[in-house]
Amino acid sequence: MQSLEAELESARELAIDDLADAIESIGFECTRCGACCTGHGEEEHTATVFPDEVRRLEDAEAAAIGSDGGEDDAVPDAEDREWRDVARPMPYGLTEGADGLEGETFEWALQTDGCGDCAFYAEDEAGVGACTVHEDRPLICRTYPFSVALAGTSQPMGEAVDEEGVVRAHECEGLGREIAREDAEELARALKERAVRELEEAIGVRDAYEPADPGPGEVVVHDSEGAKGIDGTPLED
């Protein structure tokens, strides 16, 4: 198994044209079905978000698209938005204690609403889904339903159903549709950037990691910037 550093070099050497060829061969057009933005049954929507992406979403202006959601589910406006409005601890590795989730975990996931859907997902009056912070959405959202088959990179929700070279396609009703070359190249650039960023983040998490000892009802999140509380605040030494 290659080291993360070797995988990072492989990611940096990915050719945009080759990635675009694979995406074009598989085919894709977003149908705005909302499946990649919503929870499924008891499974909450889980999408990895980098620390700098959280900060960008804290300041992002949300589009008004006439959500059917109630006022309680709405994400606060950018001027009032805090870390916990954007991101939650990645649930893997946490346990349910008497005072709620507790333990240590790695990385952040986009925050969800009471239904388990992405907090930034809404539907217009016609029931068509949309991202309310589309221009500032994280790389994992920009590249869905695709990923690259490199160790150390995250895989989005949904099983891989197709593969061309290192490009994997995950469950999505938009697969198999014709895609313009320009759009395939834009997706390919984002896919390469995401692969590089994920491996850089994984190396950063590894290098910054120091075991923590969270108490009952406490959660510690380790990301590339160090250990943090659930509100994104760095833990004091």
Side-chain angles (χ1 to χ4, degrees):
M1 184 175 179
Q2 288 196 96
S3 67
L4 290 175
E5 285 79 5
E7 294 288 354
L8 177 57
E9 283 306 306
S10 296
R12 287 171 173 163
E13 291 171 1
L14 290 171
I16 299 299
D17 283 345
D18 291 344
L19 296 177
D21 287 345
I23 292 170
E24 205 171 19
S25 176
I26 294 170
F28 171 68
E29 180 184 14
C30 179
T31 65
R32 295 181 66 181
C33 68
C36 62
C37 304
T38 55
H40 300 276
E42 295 183 359
E43 184 180 1
E44 286 187 299
H45 175 266
T46 304
T48 306
V49 58
F50 301 129
D52 65 303
E53 291 178 324
V54 177
R55 286 188 284 269
R56 187 168 71 245
L57 286 169
E58 282 185 276
D59 298 329
E61 292 294 336
I65 61 172
S67 170
D68 290 335
E71 198 170 301
D72 290 342
D73 290 334
V75 175
D77 292 334
E79 60 267 23
D80 300 319
R81 200 174 298 152
E82 298 179 353
W83 187 281
R84 292 180 66 176
D85 297 315
V86 175
R88 63 189 176 101
M90 191 64 73
Y92 312 124
L94 300 179
T95 58
E96 187 71 41
D99 299 316
L101 288 176
E102 58 188 33
E104 292 181 85
T105 189
F106 297 89
E107 301 294 0
W108 301 91
L110 283 172
Q111 186 58 273
T112 53
D113 62 17
C115 298
D117 301 339
C118 176
F120 294 101
Y121 174 76
E123 294 181 352
D124 63 19
E125 289 81 354
V128 178
C131 174
T132 61
V133 287
H134 191 262
E135 292 303 312
D136 295 286
R137 68 197 188 281
L139 280 165
I140 197 166
C141 303
R142 293 178 183 275
T143 54
Y144 194 86
F146 299 102
S147 66
V148 293
L150 292 175
T153 57
S154 65
Q155 301 301 308
M157 295 175 65
E159 297 294 326
V161 295
D162 202 349
E163 190 165 352
E164 290 281 343
V166 297
V167 176
R168 289 176 176 170
H170 299 259
E171 291 177 333
C172 177
E173 70 172 36
L175 291 172
R177 298 169 182 258
E178 186 175 351
I179 183 171
R181 181 66 186 188
E182 180 180 357
D183 293 335
E185 290 175 350
E186 182 180 351
L187 248 175
R189 284 190 289 271
L191 191 58
K192 177 177 180 177
E193 181 184 356
R194 177 182 142 210
V196 170
R197 287 291 312 281
E198 286 178 339
L199 284 157
E200 289 176 339
E201 181 73 11
I203 292 170
V205 170
R206 181 199 64 193
D207 292 347
Y209 176 72
E210 291 185 6
D213 185 23
E218 293 182 345
V219 173
V220 174
V221 182
H222 299 276
D223 63 28
S224 60
E225 298 172 352
K228 295 174 180 172
I230 59 174
D231 59 356
T233 302
L235 298 185
E236 296 182 3
D237 295 333

